[in-house]
Every structure is written in C-alpha cells, then in structure tokens.
Amino acid sequence: MKVLLRWSVEKVKREKIFLLSLFLGLFLVAFVVLTLGNMFYQQAEDVGGLIAAATDPVVLKAIGISLSMALASTLIAFLFGVPLAYFLARKELWGKSIIEGIVDIPLMIPHIVAGIALYGVFMRYGLIGAPLRRLGFVITDAYPGIVVAMLFMSFPYLVNSAREGFKGVDPRLENVARSLGASHWRTFREITFPLAFPSLLNGAILSWGRAISEFSAVLVLAYYPISAPILIYEKFTSFGLRASRPISVLLISICLVIFVVLRVLHRRSK
Amino acid sequence: MIEVKGLYKDWKEFSLKKITLEIKKGEYFVILGPTGAGKTLLLETIAGFYIPDKGEVRIDGHEVTELPPEKRNIGFIYQDYSLFPHLTVEENIVFGLKLKKSSSPDTNRKRVKEIMDRLSISHLAHRYPSTLSGGEQQRVAIARAIAIEPAILLLDEPLSALDPRTRDYLREELKRVREELGITMVHVTHDQTEALILADRIAVMMHGRIAQVGTPYEIFNKPLTDEIADFVGVENIVRGVVRSNEQGIAEIEVDTGTIFAVSEYPAGEVKVCIRPEDIILSESRGESSARNVMRGRIKELHDMGPLTRVKMDTGLVALITKQSRENLGLQKGDEVYATFKATAVHVVR
C-alpha cells in the first residue's frame, strides 16, 4: 500500500507510456488466467470427478502416452534440429533462406492439413508407409504415428530457438579456442554448445509443450493408441464438459509443474 | 618467421589484394592502417580462420595455407578479449594447456600459477570474465594465449578498447612479454603512437594492400605517398642519446639541445618522438610546469584549414589553431619558444 501511495501525479505523468503498456498488456494475461482459472474453479466444485479421473487407468495411460511421445518427438527434433540450427547460424550459402522457409512451413499451415499430408505419406500405401510396412513397421494408428505427427508440428520451435542461440555465440570465441589447439569438434563441444545451451533448452521446452498439445495431426495419423487431447475431445463430444474437464485439469496441472521445473533449470543454465 | 606470398582474400565487405610480407623470427611487427583496410582479415587469415582465395602462408618455412588453426601453434588476442564467459579465469588459461599431449593436471596447475603471477592476476583466478575490468580481461587474454607457448602471437587491436592509463600499462606489458619470451608478435592497430612505440617494423596497410613496410623511423619520416603521410601524421622524431636518468626522468641530448622525457632507459641511443599537437608555442619564455622549452625561429608556416603547421629551424613541427596563430601574430622568421611536457615525449630504441 505504501508503494502505491508514493505514486504522485508527476510520477504517473512521467511513466504514462509504461502504465498504458502495462494496462493493455494485462488484457492478454487476464485472458489466460481467467480461462484456466475458471476451469480450475469449476473443477474445485467437483473434486470427486477429479479423483475419479486421476485414478482411471484409461486417463492415466492417455496422459502417459502424450508426455512420453512428446519427449520422444523432442529428442528426435534435438538430434536432427541442433545440427541444422548450427549450420544455419554459421554458414552463408545460396538457398539458405529457402531452407529456413521450409523449416517454418509447419508453423503456418493448418494442423489438420498437415495431418492429412502426413497421412498420405505414412499410410500403409503411402510413399514412406509402404516400404516401412514391408519391413514390418506400421506408423498409422500406432505409437510411431503419434511421434511423427508431433515431430512435424513442433520441431520448428526447437530449430529456430537453437539457431538464434548459436548466432548469439561470438564466432571469435570459436576462433580463439581453435587457436589454443582445440579441434572444430572439441570447440563445438566445450565452447559453442554450452554457451548456446540455454537457447537449446528453451527450444526443447517449447517444442515439447507444442508436441503435447498437438491434436489435429495426431487425430488423423494415429487416433489410437489414444493420447490425452484425443481422449479429452472424445469425452467432450460423447459426455460433455463435465466428463472432459477433469482430464483437462489433470493434464494441465502435470504440464505446468514440468514447465515450471524446466523454466527454473533454464534460468539456472543461463 | 612468417611469410605471406601473393595473398588474395574476399570476405564480406573486406578484401586483401596481393599481400606479400616477411615477418622475422622474434620481431615485433605492427600492421598499421585505417579502419576497414582489411587488417583484421589479414591477421585472421595468417591464423588460419580463413583460407585465402589465392597465395600462400608459411610459418617457419612450413607451408600452412590450408592447415587448420589448431595445428599452427599460434596465440590470438582480440580487441574485445574474447574470454570464454562460462569459464573462470583459471579455466580460461588452462583451456589450451589441457589440449596439449604433454599435459597433466599437476604441470598445468603449476604453469597456470606461474603465468598468473607474471601478469599479476592470481587474485582473479576464480572470477568469471564478466566481473572483470577491461584491463584485467586483456591480461587474462594475454595469459591464456602465452600459456600454450605459441611460436607467434597475433594481436588484433589489443589496446583499443582500454582507457588511456590501462593502455599505457598494457603496452609496456606487451613489450615485456616479447622481451621475456622472444616470441614473434604481429600486432594490428590504427593507432600511430602505439605502432611507433612498439614496433620493430611497421607495415602500413590501405585499401586491402600493403602500402609501405619499414622501421618506424622510415614510415614516419619518409612516407612513400601523400596518403601514407596523411594517415601517419607528421611526427617529430629526433635521434638522441640518454645522458642520465633520475627517478624515471631521462635527460636526452639531441642536436639542438636537451630534452627531458619520462622513460625507463638509463643510457644509450634512442629516438625521441613528440606529437606536433603536444607542442605549445609562445613569444616569451613563460613560467610553466612543462620541463622542455626550446628556442627557435619559424622556418615555415603551413595553412591547413582550422589548423596551422609551424616548422621551426630546430626541426620541430608544431600544430596550432589558426586562432592562436593570429593572436600571437606569428610570421616567418619570428623567434618563438616551443614548450612541451616530459610526459608528451615518447622514447623508443
């Protein structure tokens, strides 16, 4: 209260642009808080429903699938995305902006369209699906299908964040490390990678969060085994809000805890 | 020894054109030139960070043109120090040592301690670079570079980002490093005084080409072209002999009299350098704290826009404003006193 009282007229005048910015910005913050807060509040009146959901093996399995498949997707994105990001950050070549444009495509197309395109490629008779099936691998309506859909929709977040991270590492630091006798690979391992790591972790967090939330593309490619967003949708269309809400609250709560932990780690790594 | 032959390189807005240089073993070689001349690109190409489009680089007789930097046994120091921000001072210095075949934790620790003592940075061992001042960071960068005992030390504007006091101090430090280690130093700068004081030889670089190579005396007294003369500025360089030195003030005998200078040299032949803008002209011998007063006649007055260059019969050149010239009513043949402080005199061997 003391702090508020110290706001004199002069101070308000001097800071008016910031006050206006804050006022307008709070609109978006309130948007998120109100929506989720309302859902949690309503659920609080139905604790029984929440407990039932939290002990339902179908629900737990669906959430488990979502978290673990998203983790698999993020690891694959990391494995291939980090090298791509390093290359894009360091090398100039003709057509580089084309590669960067292609990387951004999944961010721009409707997810349902991406799902249909993926289905065309990975279905049993698809371009990649057919040869894989001959080798005994089935993608659609199986765990790999979930990962494929998540990966396609989420890897650009990782690549873009990692690329900016690598760009932020001064090439002169790499030059000095080389002059001190470190090979290119060793320089990457001991200088470039650790310095870019906060951005890589940030990209991985974004990518993982995006993967969990993917619905449309997963719906088309792998309705089963049923993952959390699809289970929530199924409950909503069949039994309504009361049935779908507890699973939503559960999923969000778990994700929030993991996000907070990762954000703290991210901060530390800086 | 470093030999550069017919080197060409285009990179971004910079280019090197037909660079040929020979830098002797143990020499302090300064590449002097205005911003954008391609000095840094040349240094980085010698280091192996870039492969030239044409031409070759040899170190101690071995061709290294396409050899990666880690195999060249060089030390490199940048203007902004480029310390690894995620490592402590000690870890920065030991970085190169750990990569050596002969390395062991014990010998490394000993060597790091020895180098930190030499550069008086032992008290910073466990600090991170972001907590250090510019001068401290540069001392760490020097320590890190010399720790691996390179054959060559390449320095890219190493003193430019420092305040004048620290710059003077580190300039002496660099001289000391060269004298103690006998290492070949290649130092890039746009600062004429720095080149004058440090260099055994200077290469003036302009528009991606080497315009002139010579001793500081040759470069500043006999510039090959007007452009070089314009860039290096007219310096007063006089040969002299140190007669005595009391508490860091040297008494130096020159043709036209005696000059007092702040210098460590106890005796012997030296060159005395005074910047024209550091010389004050007056009609009478007034009282002042400046140690040096020389009487002489004006031989030439040269109009240079807002400034006037005054050449005296003693050989000294002074730079004064047009306003001062008018106030004093200076004419050719007038007798004037030239005054300058002992701290404005740079003494080099």
Side-chain angles (χ1 to χ4, degrees):
Chain A
M1 204 56 202
K2 232 179 181 179
V3 178
L4 281 178
L5 284 176
R6 249 188 266 147
W7 280 88
S8 62
V9 178
E10 280 71 37
K11 194 161 183 188
V12 169
K13 269 188 187 163
R14 211 176 49 202
E15 306 263 309
K16 63 186 171 212
I17 298 286
F18 286 124
L19 286 171
L20 185 67
S21 306
L22 179 65
F23 183 73
L24 291 175
L26 278 178
F27 174 76
L28 294 175
V29 178
F31 189 26
V32 175
V33 172
L34 191 77
T35 308
L36 295 184
N38 177 59
M39 188 170 73
F40 276 84
Y41 180 74
Q42 287 180 337
Q43 193 58 50
E45 291 178 344
D46 178 22
V47 179
L50 190 62
I51 291 169
T55 51
D56 181 350
V58 176
V59 170
L60 291 179
K61 190 176 177 209
I63 290 178
I65 287 172
S66 277
L67 296 181
S68 56
M69 293 302 118
L71 182 65
S73 152
T74 304
L75 290 177
I76 294 169
F78 198 88
L79 182 68
F80 294 102
V82 168
L84 178 62
Y86 180 61
F87 181 84
L88 291 176
R90 278 291 180 264
K91 281 288 169 191
E92 291 298 328
L93 84 163
W94 185 88
K96 194 175 104 169
S97 54
I98 297 175
I99 298 179
E100 288 176 330
I102 292 172
V103 167
D104 282 340
I105 287 177
L107 299 178
M108 284 176 280
I109 55 172
H111 296 194
I112 186 77
V113 174
I116 288 167
L118 284 169
Y119 188 73
V121 172
F122 286 97
M123 65 181 184
R124 285 154 171 255
Y125 307 103
L127 190 64
I128 297 174
L132 280 180
R133 189 169 64 104
R134 251 173 268 133
L135 294 170
F137 293 106
V138 180
I139 304 291
T140 51
D141 281 328
Y143 290 120
I146 301 175
V147 176
V148 165
M150 285 176 166
L151 179 65
F152 190 84
M153 302 315 303
S154 68
F155 83 84
Y157 292 94
L158 192 142
V159 172
N160 288 337
S161 177
R163 187 189 58 212
E164 292 314 306
F166 284 130
K167 271 191 185 166
V169 179
D170 190 342
R172 283 178 295 186
L173 292 177
E174 296 174 350
N175 285 347
V176 168
R178 298 288 296 274
S179 79
L180 291 168
S183 64
H184 197 167
W185 170 237
R186 184 136 190 170
T187 300
F188 180 80
R189 237 174 47 205
E190 293 195 13
I191 305 297
T192 320
F193 187 83
L195 288 175
F197 188 72
S199 297
L200 304 187
L201 184 60
N202 186 46
I205 295 169
L206 284 175
S207 168
W208 185 73
R210 187 66 202 79
I212 291 172
S213 58
E214 184 48 38
F215 171 70
S216 313
V218 175
L219 181 87
V220 179
L221 213 60
Y223 193 98
Y224 295 104
I226 205 153
S227 51
I230 291 176
L231 182 67
I232 291 166
Y233 178 72
E234 200 179 76
K235 294 268 184 189
F236 180 67
T237 49
S238 313
F239 308 104
L241 196 58
R242 217 180 148 74
S244 61
R245 196 173 49 214
I247 313 174
S248 308
V249 168
L250 206 59
L251 180 64
I252 291 180
S253 305
I254 294 170
C255 288
L256 278 180
V257 169
I258 297 174
F259 271 126
V260 168
V261 170
L262 287 175
R263 284 281 166 202
V264 170
L265 282 179
H266 176 238
R267 223 171 255 160
R268 289 248 178 98
S269 71
K270 266 184 175 168
Chain B
M1 187 164 80
I2 306 168
E3 293 157 279
V4 178
K5 276 184 207 156
L7 189 105
Y8 286 83
K9 175 76 189 171
D10 273 318
W11 194 77
K12 289 193 177 167
E13 66 267 40
F14 301 103
S15 69
L16 303 176
K17 297 181 196 102
K18 209 179 169 187
I19 304 276
T20 297
L21 277 179
E22 215 179 283
I23 299 165
K24 293 173 202 143
K25 208 175 178 75
E27 188 171 37
Y28 204 122
F29 194 86
V30 171
I31 299 170
L32 175 68
T35 311
K39 306 183 297 284
T40 298
L41 182 59
L42 174 58
L43 203 65
E44 290 183 324
T45 308
I46 293 174
F49 303 152
Y50 300 107
I51 291 175
D53 299 336
K54 228 167 98 180
E56 61 172 40
V57 180
R58 288 170 164 272
I59 295 177
D60 289 336
H62 302 289
E63 164 146 23
V64 297
T65 316
E66 300 201 359
L67 203 67
E70 62 267 27
K71 300 213 167 118
R72 295 191 184 200
N73 195 23
I74 48 162
F76 203 103
I77 293 173
Y78 277 111
Q79 174 179 357
D80 64 355
Y81 332 119
S82 293
L83 299 178
F84 306 133
H86 59 308
L87 303 179
T88 63
V89 165
E90 198 171 19
E91 289 166 340
N92 263 279
I93 298 170
V94 85
F95 183 88
L97 285 175
K98 281 199 297 195
L99 300 165
K100 290 217 157 188
K101 282 196 190 95
S102 57
S103 115
S104 82
D106 266 355
T107 54
N108 288 351
R109 210 174 301 127
K110 242 191 190 155
R111 175 110 182 98
V112 168
K113 197 185 166 312
E114 180 192 309
I115 290 168
M116 287 199 298
D117 284 345
R118 167 186 267 162
L119 287 156
S120 340
I121 47 173
S122 299
H123 60 293
L124 307 172
H126 302 294
R127 300 253 300 265
Y128 281 92
S130 60
T131 67
L132 307 180
S133 72
E136 287 169 338
Q137 289 193 52
Q138 196 56 301
R139 275 188 283 164
V140 176
I142 294 171
R144 182 178 62 179
I146 62 174
I148 57 165
E149 297 177 61
I152 300 163
L153 195 55
L154 304 172
L155 306 114
D156 182 20
E157 302 262 8
L159 308 174
S160 301
L162 303 168
D163 61 273
R165 265 182 82 121
T166 316
R167 190 184 310 151
D168 289 351
Y169 171 78
L170 271 171
R171 201 169 50 204
E172 294 308 311
E173 194 71 61
L174 287 178
K175 262 176 148 173
R176 210 162 58 107
V177 164
R178 203 283 294 263
E179 274 157 28
E180 284 176 13
L181 303 178
I183 195 171
T184 309
M185 312 262 272
V186 186
H187 178 134
V188 157
T189 184
H190 64 265
D191 185 308
Q192 297 86 345
T193 314
E194 207 170 291
L196 188 65
I197 293 172
L198 287 170
D200 293 326
R201 283 194 307 149
I202 296 173
V204 179
M205 194 168 171
M206 285 173 153
H207 316 298
R209 295 174 192 276
I210 299 293
Q212 186 176 358
V213 182
T215 62
Y217 190 82
E218 286 165 349
I219 299 286
F220 287 97
N221 281 322
K222 295 167 198 156
L224 284 180
T225 65
D226 286 349
E227 205 185 4
I228 298 170
D230 199 38
F231 174 67
V232 298
V234 185
E235 283 279 348
N236 292 298
I237 306 183
V238 190
R239 292 174 197 272
V241 179
V242 178
R243 286 297 172 216
S244 69
N245 192 322
E246 268 174 54
Q247 292 170 330
I249 306 286
E251 191 183 334
I252 303 162
E253 192 183 304
V254 296
D255 283 348
T256 51
T258 304
I259 289 176
F260 293 96
V262 176
S263 167
E264 296 300 323
Y265 293 120
E269 275 184 38
V270 291
K271 289 179 207 94
V272 176
C273 316
I274 311 145
R275 290 184 150 270
E277 57 268 34
D278 287 336
I279 296 177
I280 296 163
L281 295 181
S282 56
E283 286 175 309
S284 58
R285 190 193 179 100
E287 281 292 312
S288 85
S289 65
R291 295 290 310 265
N292 297 295
V293 183
M294 292 183 118
R295 203 173 70 173
R297 280 188 188 282
I298 295 174
K299 212 168 125 190
E300 266 173 45
L301 283 160
H302 199 77
D303 207 11
M304 296 169 63
L307 298 173
T308 299
R309 239 184 83 199
V310 185
K311 202 165 177 190
M312 317 241 302
D313 57 359
T314 51
L316 281 183
V317 176
L319 203 59
I320 59 172
T321 60
K322 207 172 173 178
Q323 187 76 46
S324 308
R325 178 193 169 178
E326 281 165 9
N327 288 350
L328 290 170
L330 295 183
Q331 296 292 336
K332 206 170 142 182
D334 282 0
E335 199 179 77
V336 289
Y337 291 88
T339 310
F340 47 95
K341 294 160 92 173
T343 48
V345 184
H346 297 289
V347 182
V348 293
R349 282 254 190 232

